[in-house]
Amino acid sequence: MTVTGTTVSPAALVGAVESLFSGDDSWAPGDLPTVGLELELVPLRPTGGRPAPVTVAEMEPLLASLAGVTFEPGGQVELNPPPQPTVTAAVAVLGTLAAETARRLAAAGIELVATGLNPWHTLDELPLQLTTERYVAMDRHFASIGPAGRAFMRQSASTQLCIGLAPGAAGQQQWRAANLLAPVLAAVFANSPRYEGRLLATAGGRTAICRLADPDRAGHGRFPAPGNQVAAYVALAAGARPLGPGFSAPGAEARHLSTLFPPVRPRGTYLEVRSVDSLPLHEVRTAASLGAVLLGDPQARSLVSGRLATEFPGPCEMWDLAAGPGIRHRALRRAALVAVEAAHVAVDRLGPYLPPGTADDLEALARRVAAERTPGDTPAAALAPAPA
């Protein structure tokens, strides 16, 4: 790996980036993608007034035996059960894991809240709780450029849609569609305060933080254009300063790539759509169904990609809208309705791949979008266990 000062040679990154876009070799024509769901949640201890933060040290003994539970740098709890062959199964396993996690923590007086940003605690009240080399280096780097990056690490929480990636041309189409959809999904499922150096009581905040944290590592709006996806991603990686010798030494390409956080991240056999705020479980079901249909069904993917690419503002402007007015802006609201309509048309032909009631979920989503409402318009509440 060729390093000049604090830069990395693009040539050194090509092989590692190519592997990120390789796709699933077991994919056959007509297959629908696997679906993995990752849900990050904010742990709180009710006090009768402002809730108290909860540390990883308090939660680890309670959750150590539970597979699929990890933590984020600010103490956020991440639920990440294995990927499943259908949206139906992915939603079910996440619900089961969420219920058991909530039950164990509730016994210790800890609640889990689905919100894109923690509005209760300042950065000073949320120390870095994971001290691996990567997190320490990221925290130090972010601290050198402003508060948003540390807020991203310590105060934010997301719902990540991990959608199986086809090899070849189909995978390239998925990548393009995912990047066109990412700001639309961010706006439709906005569930956090807005961030402008402080937390405000409006709904675009986590998206704003992700854009402000370090634009060189995120690249919002850089990828939907047709072209060589590997070259575009290599350019993003080469433009991001390595976080230290451990990320720039020969053979450290993958470690350097792990410090990038674009809204859609290629992961070899799947795409990780990272633009959605943390959501309550019923909203996760709708977001997962919408994302999986539009990235997995070729007809729906072609329809929505074509319309988003030709009828709406460019990708950078769409991200500006997602981080600001969201679906209260006419263009983004129309884009959201286009996406929901394209998914709705495909529901009948996908059958048991989707949860029962998906058509009703999408109709309800269209009504909510038309009314200019998002999950953030409902006060954050503790994660309730799934019904028995």
Side-chain angles (χ1 to χ4, degrees), residues 185-201:
L185 295 173
V188 168
F189 295 103
N191 190 33
S192 61
R194 185 171 178 174
Y195 187 80
E196 292 180 354
R198 64 191 193 283
L199 298 178
L200 303 176

Side-chain angles (χ1 to χ4, degrees), residues 205-233:
R206 181 178 162 274
T207 298
I209 278 184
C210 291
R211 296 190 75 202
L212 290 168
D214 183 351
D216 290 341
R217 308 192 103 76
H220 288 78
R222 291 180 58 165
F223 298 115
N228 187 322
Q229 58 193 8
V230 170
Y233 206 82

